[in-house]
Amino acid sequence: MKAKLFLFYLRYRKPLILVSGAIALISTSSYSWLEYKSRSIKYNPWQVVEVTASDRFTIVRDNETKTIRLCGISAVGEEARDYLRSLVNKGDGTVQLEKRKETYEAWVMLKPDFESEIHLNTWMVEKGMARHDERNFSHCLSNEELKWAEEIARENKLGIWKR
């Protein structure tokens, strides 16, 4: 039995080494690709050009410009638009985005150290500047947080819940 195993080893040693080397190479390169993608999302933010509405803004990066809508919220009025603008300005005017169907979740890295961040979608609802949008939230990553944020704003009678 030992002799057969030894002969099997001698016969298939090179293919086994090649296959295990290929597996190691593929797993290492896929890990590197995933790390690169997460780094490019995290460290390649979009510059906010203009806050066009209380749940929309125009962004630019690498000569690409687009207008985006925040996922899961519905907001109207100049007060909400100005509040969103002030949140963007708490950072360096850039946002990090994650696309959710046709809308986006957005984060602002805060000054001075840019270590902490604000999730714009949830923050707007929690401060009473926006409503949790029942039609536009199911695909959002933060859909549960949006519900809780609206409950907090209602309980504390903030923003649109003052009345």
Side-chain angles (χ1 to χ4, degrees), residues 125-143:
V125 174
E126 187 176 334
K127 298 305 175 189
M129 294 296 158
R131 213 179 270 266
H132 166 237
D133 188 356
E134 295 288 336
R135 299 164 302 180
N136 180 30
F137 88 98
S138 62
H139 58 277
C140 297
L141 290 174
S142 61
N143 58 8

Side-chain angles (χ1 to χ4, degrees), residues 45-47 88-95 108-111 114:
W46 292 82
Q47 182 70 41
V88 170
N89 290 333
K90 286 185 181 205
D92 60 354
T94 62
V95 291
V108 171
M109 302 303 289
L110 298 176
K111 293 178 191 173
F114 298 102

Side-chain angles (χ1 to χ4, degrees), residues 11-25:
R11 186 173 198 186
Y12 295 106
R13 175 181 57 194
K14 287 182 182 176
L16 285 173
I17 291 171
L18 288 174
V19 167
S20 50
I23 290 171
L25 180 66

Side-chain angles (χ1 to χ4, degrees), residues 45-106:
W46 292 82
Q47 182 70 41
V48 177
V49 177
E50 178 185 11
V51 177
T52 55
S54 46
D55 60 353
R56 289 180 171 84
F57 45 85
T58 304
I59 52 176
V60 65
R61 178 178 73 188
D62 300 332
N63 297 323
E64 180 184 0
T65 302
K66 56 176 136 180
T67 300
I68 65 143
R69 182 171 188 267
L70 294 175
C71 179
I73 71 170
S74 174
V76 294
E78 289 181 25
E79 183 182 1
R81 184 194 65 211
D82 294 342
Y83 187 74
L84 179 59
R85 187 178 292 133
S86 74
L87 288 177
V88 170
N89 290 333
K90 286 185 181 205
D92 60 354
T94 62
V95 291
Q96 296 171 2
L97 301 173
E98 185 162 334
K99 188 169 184 173
R100 308 303 300 162
K101 289 193 177 180
E102 298 302 315
T103 58
Y104 290 81
E105 299 217 20

